[in-house]
C-alpha cells in the first residue's frame, strides 16, 4: 500500500546499517491528512498483539517487569513444556548483566537491539507524518480540525517514545547533572541522513520531549475531537505530561497536569463487590493504551518461569481489595492474572472462580490493553499526590490519595490516613507500587526515587536464579543469588551491543560485570 511506501522509503533503524540503503522516492503519494492518519495508526503506534514469549517480539521491553522487585523466579516450576520456560530470553535483564542478551552460561548472546530498533522505527514513521502534515492542514473547518488531531497525535507519540528511550538508556533526570548525563540519539526528521548518530544529553532529550508534548497539547486542544483509547487525545497528553514533569521534578507542573486529568476523568472503579478482569478497554479508568503484552501469559500459572514476588504480594493489607482482585495463589505460587473458571486449577477449589486481570488475549491476537503502555486515571491521582507532598501541600496530597484509597479498601471500618511528612511520602510511593503493579511503572519509579530532591531513596534488590540439569526433569543443580545494589549503575540499561557495533564511538553506560553468590539448595 502507498501508505507503507513512505515507511519503506525512509526507514531508519538505529540498530542496523540497513537504514542507509537508497530507495526511489518517486512513488510517494499522499492525497491528504487521511493517508497520513492511516500511516500513523498502522505504523506509528505500537503494535497491539499478545505474546506468550518474553522475547522481544510482539511485546515491548517486557523485561522491565523482571528487573524490578515485582517478580521472582517460580522456585517450584515444572515448566510443563519447554515453551513455558522463558528464562533464557530474560536472564540478562533479570540478573542485570552488562550484556543483556547473554544466556546463563555466558556462551551465547541474543539480539539486544529489538526494542531500540522498534521504537526508532515508530519515531521515524511519526517524523514523516510531522514533516508532511502541515501541507494538508487545509480545506473545510472539519478537515483542518482532523489534520490538527493527526499532528497532535504524531507529536504525542514522538514525545512518548523518546521519554521511554531516555528512561531505559539514560540516567534518571537530575537537574544538576542532566546537561552532562548521556541520553539517547535524537532524530527529528523523516529524511534519511548518512551520519553516525551520537547520544544527546538527558537535558536535551527532555527539552525535546517537553516541546513535542506542548505541541501535542495545543493541536489536540484546537482539534477538540473525541478520541478512543487507541488514539491519543488531550487527556492522554495531560497524563503523560504529569508523568513527565514528575520525573523531571517540576512538581508544580506535575500537579497542574494531574489535576487537569482528574477534573475530566474522576471516576474510579469501586472494588467493593467487584469481580472480573480489572484492566480492560471498557473500564471507566482507561484513558489510552498501545503496545502488546506478555505478562499475563508469563506469570499466570505454576508451570511458568516467573511469578509475582512474595514481597509484592505481601505489601497489600488484608482489607486491601486489590490483593484478591489482582492476584491468585496456589500453594507457594502467586499469579498476577487470575485463571479462567474452566482452568484445571480452579478444580482444586470447587468454589474458585478466577478471572484475568488483563482482558485475555491469545498468541498473536490483538490485546485490549498493554502491560506497559496503559494510561489509567488512577495514575493521575498518584502523580498529583506525590507532586503535592513534595510542594509541602499535604492537604491536596491526602485528598487525592484518599479519593483512590476509598475505592480500593473494604468500605466497612475503613479508616482514612492520618500520616504526615516523610511517612506520607512513603505511603504515597507504596500506594503507587500497589496500584500500578505490573503496568510498567515500578522500574522507572525506583530509578527516579534515587535522584529525587525530596526524600531520595534507593533500593537493594536480590534475585534467585536456579540452574537446572535439564528442564524435562526439573532437577536443580545450583542456586545463584544476584544483587542489584543501592544506586547501582545497572539501574540504567547498557546500550544494545548491536547499536554500538554500528554507531562507532557511541559511548556505553557504565555497567559492571554482574557476579553472583551460590547458596545451598533447599
Amino acid at each position: 500500500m502507498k501508505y507503507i511506501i513512505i515507511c519503506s522509503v525512509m526507514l531508519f533503524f538505529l540498530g542496523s546499517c540497513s537504514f542507509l540503503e537508497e530507495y526511489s522516492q518517486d512513488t510517494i503519494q499522499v492525497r491528504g491528512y487521511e493517508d497520513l492518519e492511516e500511516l500513523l495508526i498502522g505504523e506509528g503506534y505500537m503494535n497491539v498483539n499478545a505474546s506468550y514469549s518474553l522475547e522481544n517480539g510482539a511485546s515491548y521491553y517486557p523485561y522491565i517487569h523482571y528487573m524490578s522487585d515485582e517478580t521472582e523466579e517460580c522456585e517450584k516450576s515444572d515448566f510443563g513444556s519447554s515453551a513455558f520456560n522463558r528464562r533464557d530470553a530474560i536472564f540478562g535483564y533479570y540478573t542485570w548483566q552488562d550484556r543483556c542478551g547473554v544466556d546463563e552460561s555466558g556462551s551465547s548472546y541474543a539480539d539486544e537491539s529489538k526494542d531500540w530498533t522498534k521504537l526508532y522505527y515508530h519515531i521515524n514513521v511519526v517524523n514523516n507524518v510531522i514533516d508532511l502534515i502541515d501541507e494538508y492542514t487545509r480545506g473545510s473547518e472539519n478537515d483542518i480540525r482532523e489534520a490538527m488531531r493527526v499532528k497532535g497525535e504524531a507529536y504525542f507519540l514522538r514525545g512518548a517514545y523518546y521519554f521511554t528511550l531516555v528512561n531505559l538508556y539514560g540516567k534518571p533526570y537530575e537537574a544538576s547533572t542532566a546537561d552532562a548525563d548521556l541520553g539517547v540519539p535524537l532524530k527529528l526528521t523523516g529524511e534519511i541522513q548518512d551520519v553516525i548518530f551520537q547520544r544527546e544529553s538527558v537535558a536535551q532529550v527532555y527539552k525535546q520531549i517537553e516541546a513535542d508534548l506542548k505541541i501535542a497539547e495545543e493541536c489536540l486542544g484546537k482539534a477538540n475531537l473525541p478520541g478512543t483509547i487507541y488514539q491519543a487525545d488531550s487527556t492522554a497528553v495531560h497524563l503523560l505530561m504529569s508523568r513527565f514533569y514528575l520525573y523531571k521534578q517540576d512538581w508544580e507542573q506535575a500537579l497542574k497536569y494531574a489535576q487537569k486529568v482528574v477534573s475530566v476523568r474522576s471516576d474510579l472503579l469501586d472494588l467493593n463487590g467487584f469481580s472480573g478482569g480489572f484492566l480492560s478497554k471498557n473500564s471507566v479508568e482507561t484513558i489510552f493504551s498501545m503496545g502488546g503484552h506478555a505478562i499475563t501469559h508469563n506469570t499466570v500459572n505454576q508451570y511458568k518461569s516467573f511469578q509475582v514476588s512474595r514481597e509484592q504480594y505481601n505489601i497489600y493489607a488484608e482489607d486491601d481489595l486489590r490483593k484478591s482482585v489482582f492476584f491468585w495463589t496456589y500453594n507457594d505460587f502467586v499469579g498476577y492474572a487470575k485463571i479462567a473458571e474452566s482452568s484445571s486449577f480452579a478444580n482444586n477449589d470447587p468454589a474458585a472462580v478466577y478471572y484475568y486481570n488483563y482482558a485475555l488475549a491469545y498468541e498473536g491476537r490483538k490485546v485490549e490493553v498493554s502491560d506497559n503502555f496503559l494510561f489509567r486515571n488512577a495514575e493521575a491521582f498518584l502523580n498529583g499526590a506525590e507532586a503535592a507532598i513534595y510542594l509541602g501541600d499535604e492537604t491536596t496530597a491526602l485528598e487525592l490519595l484518599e479519593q483512590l484509597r476509598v475505592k480500593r479498601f473494604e468500605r466497612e471500618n475503613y479508616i482514612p490516613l492520618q500520616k504526615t511528612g516523610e511517612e506520607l511520602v512513603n505511603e504515597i510511593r507504596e500506594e503507587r507500587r500497589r496500584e500500578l503493579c505490573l503496568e510498567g511503572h515500578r522500574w522507572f519509579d525506583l530509578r527516579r526515587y534515587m535522584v529525587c530532591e525530596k526524600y531520595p531513596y534507593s533500593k537493594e534488590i536480590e534475585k534467585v536464579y536456579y540452574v537446572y540439569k535439564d528442564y524435562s526433569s526439573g532437577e536443580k543443580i545450583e542456586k545463584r543469588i544476584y544483587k542489584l545494589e543501592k544506586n547501582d549503575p545497572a539501574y540504567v540499561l547498557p546500550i544494545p551491543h548491536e547499536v554500538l557495533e554500528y554507531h562507532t564511538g557511541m559511548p556505553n553506560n557504565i555497567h559492571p560485570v554482574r557476579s553472583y553468590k551460590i547458596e545451598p539448595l533447599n
Side-chain angles (χ1 to χ4, degrees):
M1 294 177 62
K2 60 180 173 298
Y3 317 117
I4 308 304
I5 290 174
I6 300 174
C7 300
S8 63
V9 168
M10 303 182 180
L11 267 178
F12 177 75
F13 289 114
L14 275 178
S16 166
C17 62
S18 63
F19 77 94
L20 290 178
E21 295 176 5
E22 295 183 359
Y23 297 85
S24 169
Q25 299 187 16
D26 295 338
T27 55
I28 296 177
Q29 299 177 31
V30 178
R31 296 171 300 182
Y33 72 84
E34 299 95 339
D35 291 355
L36 294 175
E37 180 181 27
E38 187 166 342
L39 172 62
L40 194 67
I41 293 172
E43 299 292 328
Y45 282 90
M46 289 181 180
N47 300 323
V48 294
N49 289 335
S51 175
Y52 292 163
S53 173
L54 289 177
E55 295 171 313
N56 301 337
S59 56
Y60 289 75
Y61 44 95
Y63 38 79
I64 60 171
H65 300 303
Y66 302 94
M67 295 188 296
S68 76
D69 52 10
E70 294 179 305
T71 57
E72 64 189 17
E73 186 171 353
C74 184
E75 179 179 350
K76 297 185 177 180
S77 174
D78 58 13
F79 301 120
S81 73
S82 60
F84 286 132
N85 174 26
R86 304 313 304 154
R87 299 160 79 252
D88 58 325
I90 210 73
F91 169 79
Y93 296 95
Y94 180 72
T95 59
W96 314 291
Q97 298 297 314
D98 60 318
R99 279 285 304 275
C100 294
V102 69
D103 66 3
E104 67 180 36
S105 68
S107 61
S108 66
Y109 298 88
D111 186 351
E112 302 164 3
S113 68
K114 291 180 180 178
D115 281 306
W116 178 285
T117 298
K118 286 190 296 185
L119 290 172
Y120 274 107
Y121 171 79
H122 291 311
I123 286 171
N124 202 57
V125 172
V126 168
N127 282 339
N128 279 282
V129 174
I130 290 172
D131 288 347
L132 296 170
I133 187 61
D134 285 344
E135 297 179 29
Y136 302 98
T137 308
R138 63 195 181 201
S140 68
E141 180 180 345
N142 184 67
D143 286 344
I144 292 173
R145 290 171 65 195
E146 290 284 359
M148 290 296 289
R149 179 174 57 80
V150 173
K151 182 177 180 178
E153 288 180 51
Y155 275 100
F156 164 82
L157 289 173
R158 190 167 72 179
Y161 292 140
Y162 276 124
F163 187 59
T164 299
L165 283 163
V166 77
N167 280 286
L168 287 172
Y169 300 106
K171 289 184 178 180
Y173 188 93
E174 188 174 10
S176 61
T177 63
D179 284 320
D181 292 336
L182 290 176
V184 294
L186 286 174
K187 184 172 187 292
L188 305 175
T189 175
E191 178 186 0
I192 292 178
Q193 297 169 302
D194 188 4
V195 297
I196 298 295
F197 283 83
Q198 296 298 324
R199 300 170 67 182
E200 302 288 348
S201 70
V202 168
Q204 185 61 37
V205 177
Y206 266 71
K207 182 179 179 180
Q208 184 61 51
I209 296 166
E210 184 174 25
D212 284 349
L213 294 182
K214 285 185 174 180
I215 293 173
E217 179 186 27
E218 178 185 5
C219 291
L220 291 171
K222 287 180 178 178
N224 193 28
L225 293 169
T228 72
I229 71 161
Y230 302 118
Q231 284 184 264
D233 61 8
S234 291
T235 306
V237 176
H238 291 158
L239 183 52
L240 182 56
M241 292 180 84
S242 75
R243 188 190 305 178
F244 167 81
Y245 284 117
L246 193 66
Y247 284 32
K248 192 172 182 285
Q249 304 191 58
D250 186 337
W251 319 127
E252 291 88 354
Q253 292 297 311
L255 178 58
K256 169 188 168 182
Y257 281 103
Q259 290 175 324
K260 281 179 177 287
V261 176
V262 170
S263 68
V264 297
R265 295 292 297 273
S266 60
D267 289 343
L268 293 163
L269 286 173
D270 190 342
L271 298 191
N272 286 273
F274 178 84
S275 64
F278 179 69
L279 304 176
S280 72
K281 66 180 181 180
N282 297 318
S283 169
V284 296
E285 297 184 6
T286 301
I287 292 172
F288 172 73
S289 181
M290 67 174 173
H293 78 244
I295 193 70
T296 296
H297 300 295
N298 289 285
T299 61
V300 74
N301 62 49
Q302 68 267 35
Y303 291 134
K304 303 294 189 179
S305 300
F306 301 101
Q307 66 179 41
V308 176
S309 70
R310 281 285 170 179
E311 179 187 345
Q312 178 70 35
Y313 182 69
N314 290 333
I315 65 173
Y316 298 86
E318 290 306 312
D319 62 342
D320 189 333
L321 296 167
R322 289 169 295 198
K323 193 166 190 175
S324 59
V325 171
F326 286 11
F327 310 105
W328 68 284
T329 59
Y330 179 73
N331 295 331
D332 292 331
F333 181 83
V334 182
Y336 179 51
K338 291 190 170 184
I339 301 299
E341 184 177 10
S342 60
S343 168
S344 61
F345 299 110
N347 296 331
N348 294 307
D349 179 3
V353 178
Y354 300 125
Y355 302 89
Y356 282 90
N357 195 24
Y358 284 96
L360 178 61
Y362 297 97
E363 179 76 20
R365 295 186 183 179
K366 291 184 177 180
V367 299
E368 284 199 2
V369 292
S370 171
D371 65 358
N372 56 15
F373 215 106
L374 169 63
F375 285 15
R376 288 196 294 124
N377 64 339
E379 184 195 345
F381 289 87
L382 294 164
N383 291 352
E386 188 176 343
I389 191 64
Y390 295 153
L391 290 168
D393 186 353
E394 293 188 354
T395 300
T396 298
L398 277 169
E399 286 177 353
L400 289 166
L401 195 61
E402 283 300 313
Q403 288 180 68
L404 176 65
R405 284 173 55 87
V406 75
K407 299 293 182 70
R408 301 302 191 241
F409 286 81
E410 293 178 2
R411 186 170 295 111
E412 186 178 4
N413 302 320
Y414 176 73
I415 301 175
L417 285 174
Q418 302 295 323
K419 296 180 179 180
T420 61
E422 187 171 359
E423 284 191 342
L424 182 54
V425 170
N426 292 336
E427 185 63 37
I428 291 169
R429 290 175 175 177
E430 284 297 281
E431 193 62 48
R432 186 178 183 90
R433 184 183 181 189
R434 291 187 286 262
E435 177 64 24
L436 302 178
C437 171
L438 291 170
E439 292 182 43
H441 293 270
R442 180 62 175 169
W443 176 252
F444 298 130
D445 285 342
L446 287 172
R447 283 167 36 89
R448 66 184 179 85
Y449 294 154
M450 292 191 301
V451 299
C452 190
E453 295 173 1
K454 305 291 182 68
Y455 307 100
Y457 166 79
S458 187
K459 182 173 183 177
E460 176 186 285
I461 302 174
E462 283 193 350
K463 296 282 192 181
V464 175
Y465 188 87
Y466 290 98
V467 178
Y468 288 78
K469 180 179 180 180
D470 60 79
Y471 293 130
S472 59
S473 68
E475 181 183 350
K476 300 181 180 73
I477 59 174
E478 190 172 82
K479 181 181 180 181
R480 299 177 181 177
I481 307 297
Y482 291 87
K483 183 183 290 187
L484 184 71
E485 304 284 355
K486 292 182 179 180
N487 301 303
D488 199 300
Y491 270 108
V492 182
L493 283 177
I495 301 297
H497 179 73
E498 295 78 10
V499 176
L500 295 175
E501 279 192 321
Y502 180 74
H503 292 273
T504 54
M506 180 182 287
N508 201 355
N509 298 318
I510 297 173
H511 208 285
V513 174
R514 190 70 44 177
S515 59
Y516 57 87
K517 65 178 181 179
I518 298 176
E519 288 191 352
L521 291 167
N522 296 332

